[in-house]
Amino acid sequence: MRTVGIYYAFWTHEWDVDFVPYIKKVGKLGFDQLELNGGTIVHMDPKKQRELKAMADGENLKLSYGIGLQKPYDVASLDENVRQKGLDFMKKMIDAIANMGGGMIGGTVHGYWPSTLPEGLDSKKPCWDQSIKSLKELSPYAGDRGVQLNIEVINRFEQFLVNDSHEALAYVKEVDHPACKVLLDTFHMNIEEDSFGDAIRRIGPYLASIHLGETNRKTPGKGRMPWKEIKKALDDIGYDGPMVMEPFVMKGGQVGRDIGVWREIEENPDLDALAAEAAQFVRKNLI
Ligand code: MN
């Protein structure tokens, strides 16, 4: 079933927040899935993690998780000490998600964010190989615990390892484990892919989740994203996974800074109304 989800940070200026208000309200706004920050979950008490999951169950809400690994936890680092710290951090996060009943974590689980090719290198190959080595270790660890790792294909200005669907396909084929799949995001695809439809069809059975947003990260339906072409491609591959919108329309705070929002994308937005309208748009046009 194609679920309709939203990333909590649409409402927040900081990444580390109390998720309870969003668990309580997104169902009423038309969503059946909420994506949370894995970096927050990992630092929560295991009992609190389970309480959050029970609350989501009570709201009939599926949970998924996102992460942009920080540099000290770079699983693609050429420094084995850093890479090991990254593996430890990722395992701790996988344990946390397992404690919450399992599920998907996507984003830069394969390197740090935001990042650029290390100075002195002309090729990403050494970092790619470190990253693959890490995911070959993390994927079975995740799979055994009911957790799925989704490599998010991210544009060149934010990450350097996996920028388009060709690289993503090569990456997951090299890892070669069912717990390692791909997350496409229409915002990044708009920058890097020749064709939305061909990219989705290329990833095909490896596509585990898709992030939805307009070219400027407004809510779906507010811009010029070719939603018909995207819907057709999802139908072509028989996609039945999550569709999680990831809009960012507010400047300010660490979220605004990390996402690069330097102006009000929407003037005095009624965020709940925008989210509800976008949920309806996605149900009407993408399911
Ligand atoms: Mn995304």
Side-chain angles (χ1 to χ4, degrees):
M1 194 183 87
R2 284 182 202 170
T3 50
V4 180
I6 187 163
Y7 191 45
Y8 78 99
F10 176 57
W11 283 275
T12 72
H13 291 293
E14 302 302 327
W15 298 112
D16 264 324
V17 296
D18 178 10
F19 296 135
V20 169
Y22 312 105
I23 292 178
K24 290 286 184 197
K25 81 171 166 186
V26 299
K28 295 174 188 74
L29 298 176
F31 297 93
D32 32 44
Q33 183 160 345
L34 179 65
E35 196 148 298
L36 302 176
N37 178 18
T40 303
I41 296 290
V42 73
H43 293 118
M44 284 171 56
D45 178 80
K47 185 164 166 278
K48 287 263 182 255
Q49 292 167 351
R50 288 193 296 273
E51 282 170 9
L52 217 51
K53 166 65 174 158
M55 189 180 297
D57 286 347
E59 300 286 335
N60 277 323
L61 200 61
K62 273 185 79 171
L63 294 178
S64 53
Y65 309 88
I67 187 76
L69 278 181
Q70 293 181 338
K71 196 170 184 180
Y73 304 120
D74 179 15
V75 295
S77 177
L78 303 180
D79 180 336
E80 276 297 324
N81 288 325
V82 172
R83 196 180 74 86
Q84 198 56 51
K85 282 202 180 87
L87 289 175
D88 293 346
F89 180 81
M90 279 299 297
K91 285 178 184 172
K92 203 175 153 201
M93 189 150 57
I94 290 163
D95 291 343
I97 295 168
N99 185 43
M100 295 175 72
M104 294 182 179
I105 178 149
T108 51
V109 295
H110 54 296
Y112 78 102
W113 174 86
S115 68
T116 185
L117 189 66
E119 290 292 336
L121 288 188
D122 281 327
S123 159
K124 69 175 85 175
K125 180 78 166 63
C127 303
W128 173 283
D129 288 346
Q130 290 291 84
S131 177
I132 294 279
K133 189 165 65 170
S134 293
L135 267 290
K136 274 182 176 287
E137 181 174 334
L138 291 173
S139 300
Y141 187 90
D144 289 349
R145 289 159 181 80
V147 177
Q148 163 100 41
L149 305 173
N150 296 333
I151 309 299
E152 182 162 358
V153 187
I154 287 187
N155 78 73
R156 69 188 71 183
F157 305 109
E158 298 185 42
Q159 234 284 340
F160 66 94
L161 279 172
V162 179
N163 292 146
D164 76 355
S165 53
H166 292 275
E167 290 185 318
L169 191 62
Y171 189 99
V172 290
K173 283 190 168 173
E174 200 170 331
V175 173
D176 191 26
H177 191 282
C180 180
K181 291 200 169 140
V182 175
L183 193 174
L184 289 174
D185 179 320
T186 59
F187 166 74
H188 300 294
M189 294 171 81
N190 177 62
I191 296 171
E192 299 291 354
E193 303 289 349
D194 289 327
S195 152
F196 285 88
D198 290 348
I200 288 168
R201 282 183 290 270
R202 183 171 297 116
I203 299 300
Y206 294 100
L207 186 65
S209 182
I210 183 163
H211 280 170
L212 308 177
E214 294 290 351
T215 56
N216 50 12
R217 307 200 98 158
K218 280 189 182 177
T219 46
K222 291 276 195 171
R224 58 185 162 77
M225 196 57 75
W227 296 115
K228 273 193 185 132
E229 180 186 349
I230 291 165
K231 156 88 159 72
K232 175 164 188 315
L234 292 173
D235 291 348
D236 287 346
I237 65 168
Y239 182 72
D240 69 350
M243 300 191 294
V244 178
M245 65 181 71
E246 194 186 21
F248 295 98
V249 299
M250 295 187 295
K251 66 180 171 69
Q254 196 60 40
V255 173
R257 176 165 289 279
D258 288 346
I259 298 298
V261 183
W262 314 118
R263 63 195 160 95
E264 297 295 353
I265 305 286
E266 299 269 8
E267 282 300 327
N268 301 316
D270 179 340
L271 296 177
D272 288 3
L274 281 174
E277 193 184 334
Q280 269 189 26
F281 177 88
V282 170
R283 287 191 191 282
K284 185 159 172 248
N285 294 283
L286 286 160
I287 289 189

